[in-house]
Amino acid sequence: MIESTITSKGQTTLPKVVREALGVHAGQRVRYIILDDTVQILPVQPVGRLFGALRHSGSAVTLEEMEEAIINGATESDCA
């Protein structure tokens, strides 16, 4: 079992084995998820890691085309 101490300011240091398991380093952020009586600690992934994750072979869509699609979608769902 891995433990750490909470300071008077409510702070703690993640033990090295926990940092290694999460793959985090100094300066990186972690997220806490509270579920009932447990807490999960997850590394926060920078948005930049998502670059190129989705492939699109067509041409880029303009802002006007996106706005038109949103308006058309809202109109269609209102009628349904």
Side-chain angles (χ1 to χ4, degrees):
M1 183 179 305
I2 303 164
E3 298 178 356
S4 63
T5 301
I6 306 295
T7 69
S8 61
K9 292 184 178 183
Q11 300 172 335
T12 188
T13 299
L14 292 178
K16 181 178 180 182
V17 65
V18 174
R19 295 190 311 268
E20 289 173 347
L22 294 174
V24 295
H25 306 291
Q28 288 184 284
R29 299 180 62 85
V30 293
R31 178 172 290 134
Y32 300 90
I33 300 175
I34 302 170
L35 300 169
D36 298 322
D37 61 346
T38 63
V39 177
Q40 293 180 347
I41 302 174
L42 302 172
V44 174
Q45 301 298 336
V47 175
R49 285 186 69 165
L50 298 175
F51 182 78
L54 301 175
R55 302 283 181 224
H56 178 68
S57 59
S59 60
V61 179
T62 66
L63 262 177
E64 291 78 18
E65 291 171 321
M66 284 187 228
E67 289 173 356
E68 184 178 333
I70 292 168
I71 291 168
N72 290 338
T75 304
E76 290 172 11
S77 65
D78 289 343
C79 295

